[in-house]
Amino acid sequence: MADHEHSHDHDHDHDHDHEHDHDHEHGGESISFAAFVLSLAHTAAVHFGDIPDPVSGQTSQANLPAAQQMIDILALLEAKTRGNLTAEERQLLEQILYELRLRFVEASKPQSRIITP
């Protein structure tokens, strides 16, 4: 009986492990990773003056060095996590980096503010 249970458990464990890995990558981890990446991108958008600061509710003047720092953090993250991300995570990160870099170039141009206050 114990033997039978043990082998059954072992089988179950094996399956469970495999599924757990999959879940871990897809469920738990990817959601938190995506949320993390998006929160960094959100912070960068606040620094660009694109969206209001969630704390003060004020849209601040563009703070390009701070925005650049967020881009650097995301780039570092991309480099450090390379090979460990799911396709969706990698795509999200690449997309955000691409857009933020584009935005940075735009913001760095003197005539970036079409709408003058």
Side-chain angles (χ1 to χ4, degrees), residues 32-41 69-85 89-90 92-94 96-97 101:
S32 59
F33 186 80
F36 177 55
V37 168
L38 287 167
S39 73
L40 291 175
Q69 194 180 16
M70 297 316 294
I71 294 172
D72 289 347
I73 291 169
L74 281 158
L76 180 73
L77 198 60
E78 195 265 328
K80 293 283 184 192
T81 56
R82 193 171 293 145
N84 288 319
L85 298 182
E89 288 165 344
R90 198 178 61 244
L92 176 74
L93 193 48
E94 282 171 5
I96 284 174
L97 264 172
R101 283 175 171 148

Side-chain angles (χ1 to χ4, degrees), residues 95-109:
Q95 181 70 25
I96 284 174
L97 264 172
Y98 173 75
E99 285 175 18
L100 286 177
R101 283 175 171 148
L102 216 60
R103 179 73 189 88
F104 187 80
V105 170
E106 282 301 304
S108 303
K109 292 178 186 165

